[in-house]
Amino acid sequence: MYTKEDCLFCKIVRGEVPCTKVYEDEDVLAFLDISQTTVGHTLIIPKEHFDNFLFVPKDLLGKVFSVAQKVSQALVAGLRAKGVNILVNTNEIAGQTIMHFHVHVIPRYSTEDAIKIDFIPREIGKLNLPKIANDISFNLKK
Ligand code: 5GP
Ligand code: ZN
């Protein structure tokens, strides 16, 4: 069974696994992703364990994204990135491999960067957009 004891990012928070730290405060840690998809690729995590985006309390979520913005600004100012992608994979189907919520900040330098996120449009005529929107809004938590 998966526990916080086994969680790689909890181990990084506890200092049991090394990381290359970019930023730290009471609640949030930012460190370089080991894969460096582009130079400066950074992960932002809450120190407290939550499996993924769906479970993070909103105040903490705000703190994590605020650090993601700070790091993005530093990537632009310091590493001369021309832009960034902010990516949150949620659950295995969406590519989440580490089950401790994290935000990827991926600096972009050129159109040749290894990462490319394409939105491939569907034939919108075949979809009932008002029904889809209603199914979402009806389930929004107060
Ligand atoms: P996910 O696929 O869950 O959204 O992203 C997990 C990320 O964690 C991957 O980009 C992967 O490169 C990164 N990662 C995996 N193991 C380690 C590690 O031990 N240290 C660091 N810094 N990053 C890691
Ligand atoms: Zn964890």
Side-chain angles (χ1 to χ4, degrees):
M1 204 192 77
Y2 179 85
T3 70
K4 280 193 255 183
E5 302 313 307
D6 307 326
C7 171
L8 175 64
F9 287 177
C10 283
K11 285 183 181 169
I12 286 178
V13 170
R14 293 195 295 266
E16 294 164 17
V17 168
C19 74
T20 311
K21 207 175 286 182
V22 169
Y23 173 92
E24 181 173 20
D25 64 29
E26 202 183 337
D27 303 302
V28 180
L29 179 66
F31 54 95
L32 294 182
D33 190 303
I34 210 162
S35 71
Q36 291 295 284
T37 296
T38 60
V39 173
H41 178 182
T42 302
L43 299 174
I44 323 294
I45 68 169
K47 287 184 174 177
E48 190 177 344
H49 181 97
F50 295 94
D51 283 356
N52 66 41
F53 179 64
L54 302 178
F55 303 111
V56 185
K58 66 180 176 194
D59 286 0
L60 185 56
L61 197 59
K63 288 178 184 175
V64 171
F65 273 95
S66 173
V67 174
Q69 184 191 46
K70 254 193 231 285
V71 169
S72 301
Q73 290 162 342
L75 288 166
V76 170
L79 294 193
R80 299 276 170 249
K82 296 197 181 103
V84 295
N85 288 110
I86 303 295
L87 183 66
V88 178
N89 297 327
T90 304
N91 282 337
E92 210 173 320
I93 187 78
Q96 187 180 5
T97 57
I98 308 281
M99 295 299 150
H100 179 129
F101 169 59
H102 53 280
V103 177
H104 293 262
V105 179
I106 304 164
R108 302 299 298 268
Y109 303 96
S110 86
T111 50
E112 305 303 309
D113 289 343
I115 176 173
K116 187 152 172 42
I117 299 167
D118 273 337
F119 292 104
I120 301 162
R122 280 172 181 269
E123 284 178 69
I124 218 80
K126 293 185 181 158
L127 297 173
N128 183 344
L129 293 188
K131 182 180 182 309
I132 294 167
N134 192 55
D135 286 347
I136 298 167
S137 57
F138 186 75
N139 284 285
L140 288 178
K141 285 188 180 160
K142 292 285 174 287

